[in-house]
Amino acid sequence: MRDVPVVELKNVSFTYGCHPVLDNISLTIGSGEAVGLVGPNGAGKTTLLKIILGQLKPQAGTVQLFGQDVSKFKERYKIGYVSQRAVHFNPQFPATVREVVASGRVARRGLFRPLTRTDYSRVDRALELVGLRELSKQPVGILSGGQQQRVFIARSLVAEPAILILDEPTVGIDPAAQTSLYKLLRHLNQKEQMTLLIVSHEMEGLSSVITRQVCLDRYVCTCQCRTAPLSQLREDTCTKRLVFQVAE
Amino acid sequence: MEIFQYDFMQRAFTAGIIVGLICPVVGLFISLRRMSMISDALAHVCLAGVAAGLLTGLHPIITASAFAVTGALCIEKLRDVFKNYSEIAIAIILSTGIALGAILLDLGKGYNANFMSYLFGSIVAINETDIKIIASTGLAIFALIMLLRKELFFISFDEEGARLSGIPVQIITLSFTALTALTIAVAIRVVGILLVSSLIVLPVAAAMRMARSFKEALVISMIMAETSVVVGLFASFYMNLAPGGAIVMTSVCLLLVTLVVQQRRSAAVKLAEKLPQREDSSV
C-alpha cells in the first residue's frame, strides 16, 4: 500500500477575476520529499501556496492534505509555514527569541491551556536545531535577517509539522546566511525526515537541498528532475503542459 | 494612616488597584496591535452609555459597558469594511459616541455633578455597588486575558502566522475587543471618560521603552499603572485634585523619567563603545 501523499493537487485552476493564474495544475508531494517550486514573478507561486494552505479556494480541481480535503483539514499544526513576510515584523516588538519560538506551540496546546515543560523542551530543541540556543534570551528585533529567518523556522518546527513550507526563504539575507540556511534545510530533510516545499524565484543555491524541482511559468505548470539546471528546465519544458512526475 | 480611615478612600483604592491591574494588560495588547486610539473611541462611546444610564435610571457603568461592547463590535465590523484604513472605523465610532452622548445628555438635562464625576473620575462618588461591579468585572477580565495571553501574543506579533497555525484568530480578536470595552467602562469611575485611554496607553509606552521581553513588558506596565494609581490617589486626597488628572499626570511623569533614563543609558552605552576605539587609535 502506498503512503498517503502529504499534498495532492488534482486539476486545480484558479482565476483572479478574468485573469487565469493557475490552469489545470496537478502536483503530488510525498512524505520525505524536498520539492522546490520555482518560477518568475507573477507565475502564480504564491497563489498555489495559498491554495495549499487553504487561504484560497480554487474554482476547479481538488486539494488534499494527508488524504483529507483541505477545507476539512483540522490538524493545521502539521503544516509548518514560514512566510516571506514573517521577517517584516515590528523590530521594536518586545519579545525574546524564545518567546517567539514558543508561540509556535500555542495552537498545539489549545485554548486556555498554558505551555508546559514539555512544550519548552521542544522550544529548546528547535532552537538548538537552528543554532540559536545562545541567543534565546535576546530581543528578536536585534537579530540579523538570517537569524530572524531561523527564528521563524524554529517557530514552525516546535509544532512538530509533517511538512515545512518556505516562501522565498533567501530573500533579504546575505550569502553567508543563505549557505547556512541551505545546510539547515538539508539537515531537516535528510536527518529529521522533514518534507519540504520551498518556493523561490531562483533555485540555483537550493539545488543542493531539493530532491525535485517544479517549474511554474505563467499558468502552465511543468516538472523537471533535480539534475536539470534552471535554464535548461525553462527551455525544455515550460512551453508544454505536463503532469508532474517524481524524479527517479 | 489617616487616608485609610475613610471608607470612600478604601473604596477608591480597591477600585483603583483593580483598574490599575487591567488597564495596562489590555493596553499592552492594544498598543502592540497599533490600535491605541481604540480606547479613546470606546471611552467616548461610554459617554453615551453613561448619559443613557443617567437618563433611564439604570446603573451608568452597566449601560456604559453595554454601549462600549456594542461600539467595540461595530469597530471590528467597520475594520472589515475599511480593510486598509482601520483608523476610519475608530473615527466613525468616536464621533458617533460623542454625538449620541450629547443628544442623550441634553434629553436628560444631565450636565450635573454626577455626570462630571464620570467625565474626570471621582473618589468620593465610588459607592459599594460600583465596587461590586468593578471588582467582579475587573477580575473576570484579568483572568480571561491572562488565560488568552499566549494566543494574544501570537496574534499581536504575527496575525497571519497565528491564523495559519490553527489559532481561532477572529473569535479571540472579537473577545479581546469586547474585554477592552468592558475594561474602559469599569475604569471610567476612577479615572473618568476623558482620561481612561491615558491609563491604558501611558504605562505601556513606558514599559515598551524598558522591556527586553514580552513578560517584562507585561510586568513593568502593571507596576507603572499601579504606581500611578496609588500615587495619584494620595495626591488627589491630600492636594484635593481630580483623581483622574492626578493618576494620569503621575503616569506622564513616570513616562518622562523613563525616557530620560533610557536616553542617558543609551548615550552612556554609545560612549563606552567609542572609548576603546579611541584608546586603540592613540596607541
Side-chain angles (χ1 to χ4, degrees):
Chain A
M1 212 176 92
R2 75 181 180 98
D3 285 341
V4 176
V6 177
V7 177
E8 192 170 27
L9 277 80
K10 278 187 192 161
N11 312 109
V12 167
S13 296
F14 187 85
T15 309
Y16 279 113
C18 56
H19 301 288
V21 182
L22 301 171
D23 183 32
N24 204 26
I25 301 291
S26 294
L27 168 67
T28 303
I29 300 173
S31 181
E33 276 197 278
V35 176
L37 180 64
V38 67
N41 288 334
K45 301 188 297 290
T46 305
T47 304
L48 191 66
L49 261 196
K50 285 184 174 177
I51 286 172
I52 293 172
L53 294 167
Q55 288 182 302
L56 289 176
K57 202 174 174 324
Q59 280 89 1
T62 58
V63 183
Q64 291 199 324
L65 300 174
F66 302 93
Q68 260 189 309
D69 190 86
V70 67
S71 60
K72 291 178 189 143
F73 186 72
K74 297 278 178 238
E75 297 162 302
R76 305 299 316 181
Y77 69 86
K78 281 190 176 177
I79 315 281
Y81 175 57
V82 182
S83 160
Q84 190 185 344
R85 286 189 302 171
V87 289
H88 299 300
F89 63 92
N90 169 16
Q92 289 186 328
F93 196 103
T96 61
V97 168
R98 198 164 190 256
E99 285 174 330
V100 172
V101 174
S103 65
R105 284 295 290 182
V106 171
R108 192 93 205 244
R109 184 53 55 199
L111 278 179
F112 302 122
R113 289 185 186 160
L115 297 183
T116 61
R117 272 189 191 175
T118 318
D119 294 313
Y120 283 109
S121 68
R122 302 239 185 259
V123 171
D124 292 335
R125 163 144 168 68
L127 285 169
E128 192 84 58
L129 204 61
V130 301
L132 290 177
R133 189 76 191 262
E134 283 76 34
L135 297 175
S136 66
K137 287 181 182 163
Q138 294 299 316
V140 70
I142 65 162
L143 304 189
S144 69
Q147 287 169 330
Q148 285 173 357
Q149 183 71 268
R150 283 162 174 270
V151 171
F152 293 107
I153 292 175
R155 188 181 71 179
S156 294
L157 292 177
V158 286
E160 298 168 275
I163 180 171
L164 187 62
I165 301 175
L166 298 108
D167 189 6
E168 300 283 6
T170 54
V171 169
I173 61 173
D174 60 53
Q178 284 183 20
T179 310
S180 111
L181 176 71
Y182 301 146
K183 197 176 157 198
L184 169 65
L185 294 176
R186 254 196 323 272
H187 175 86
L188 287 174
N189 182 240
Q190 290 167 9
K191 306 280 183 213
E192 310 278 329
Q193 281 76 48
M194 178 72 65
T195 308
L196 299 176
L197 172 60
I198 305 160
V199 177
S200 182
H201 65 281
E202 61 89 30
M203 202 53 77
E204 304 293 346
L206 282 167
S207 57
S208 65
V209 178
I210 57 172
T211 55
R212 184 156 61 105
Q213 187 165 272
V214 167
C215 172
L216 196 62
D217 198 352
R218 296 187 186 281
Y219 53 94
V220 177
C221 205
T222 59
C223 162
Q224 186 53 272
C225 67
R226 63 175 159 177
T227 48
L230 188 62
S231 52
Q232 191 189 329
L233 175 86
R234 289 225 176 108
E235 281 168 23
D236 290 348
T237 61
C238 282
T239 50
K240 292 181 283 181
R241 182 178 301 179
L242 294 174
V243 179
F244 286 89
Q245 314 156 4
V246 180
E248 293 297 327
Chain B
M1 243 173 142
E2 186 201 349
I3 189 169
F4 294 114
Q5 286 169 0
Y6 297 97
D7 284 350
F8 73 92
M9 278 316 293
Q10 288 174 10
R11 288 196 293 270
F13 271 100
T14 310
I17 284 167
I18 293 168
V19 164
L21 194 68
I22 54 175
C23 279
V25 175
V26 166
L28 180 61
F29 291 108
I30 291 178
S31 306
L32 291 176
R33 295 180 65 209
R34 300 181 185 206
M35 288 180 64
S36 306
M37 288 308 289
I38 197 174
S39 52
D40 214 23
L42 292 177
H44 285 85
V45 173
C46 285
L47 179 92
V50 168
L54 295 174
L55 186 67
T56 57
L58 293 169
H59 196 293
I61 298 182
I62 304 283
T63 48
S65 300
F67 272 62
V69 171
T70 312
L73 298 179
C74 289
I75 288 178
E76 283 301 325
K77 184 74 194 157
L78 285 169
R79 268 159 55 86
D80 251 3
V81 177
F82 299 99
K83 265 197 174 78
N84 296 317
Y85 302 95
S86 58
E87 66 277 15
I88 289 181
I90 290 172
I92 293 169
I93 296 300
L94 190 144
S95 30
T96 310
I98 299 175
L100 194 60
I103 292 170
L104 290 172
L105 278 172
D106 207 36
L107 282 176
K109 308 279 177 239
Y111 294 101
N112 54 30
N114 196 10
F115 176 72
M116 292 303 279
S117 76
Y118 282 97
L119 217 49
F120 293 103
S122 167
I123 42 175
V124 285
I126 299 171
N127 58 35
E128 280 299 328
T129 317
D130 294 337
I131 287 292
K132 279 179 191 159
I133 297 172
I134 293 170
S136 55
T137 317
L139 294 176
I141 293 168
F142 185 73
L144 275 170
I145 291 183
M146 282 295 126
L147 284 170
L148 286 172
R149 73 180 188 282
K150 59 192 193 340
E151 285 83 2
L152 286 168
F153 168 80
F154 199 171
I155 295 169
S156 309
F157 185 74
D158 177 8
E159 191 170 322
E160 189 199 15
R163 188 175 288 113
L164 286 170
S165 79
I167 289 173
V169 172
Q170 203 181 1
I171 296 172
I172 292 173
T173 306
L174 272 178
S175 313
F176 175 70
T177 312
L179 290 173
T180 304
L182 288 174
T183 301
I184 291 163
V186 297
I188 55 172
R189 202 71 189 109
V190 182
V191 276
I193 290 165
L194 295 178
L195 293 166
V196 64
S197 63
S198 317
L199 194 59
I200 284 180
V201 175
L202 292 175
V204 176
M208 279 167 73
R209 292 293 301 171
M210 295 160 79
R212 285 171 64 84
S213 70
F214 177 74
K215 203 174 172 181
E216 269 182 34
L218 194 64
V219 173
I220 296 171
S221 53
M222 283 199 278
I223 292 171
M224 288 282 178
E226 291 294 14
T227 309
S228 306
V229 167
V230 172
V231 173
L233 286 179
F234 269 98
S236 173
F237 179 80
Y238 288 109
M239 297 159 79
N240 200 20
L241 304 171
I247 291 169
V248 172
M249 280 317 291
T250 312
S251 227
V252 172
C253 291
L254 286 174
L255 176 63
L256 286 175
V257 170
T258 309
L259 292 177
V260 171
V261 170
Q262 280 291 306
Q263 210 158 15
R264 289 200 169 181
R265 193 175 288 173
S266 53
V269 170
K270 274 183 193 166
L271 193 68
E273 280 169 359
K274 275 182 190 172
L275 278 176
Q277 288 171 5
R278 279 189 192 171
E279 280 166 13
D280 287 348
S281 57
S282 61
V283 172

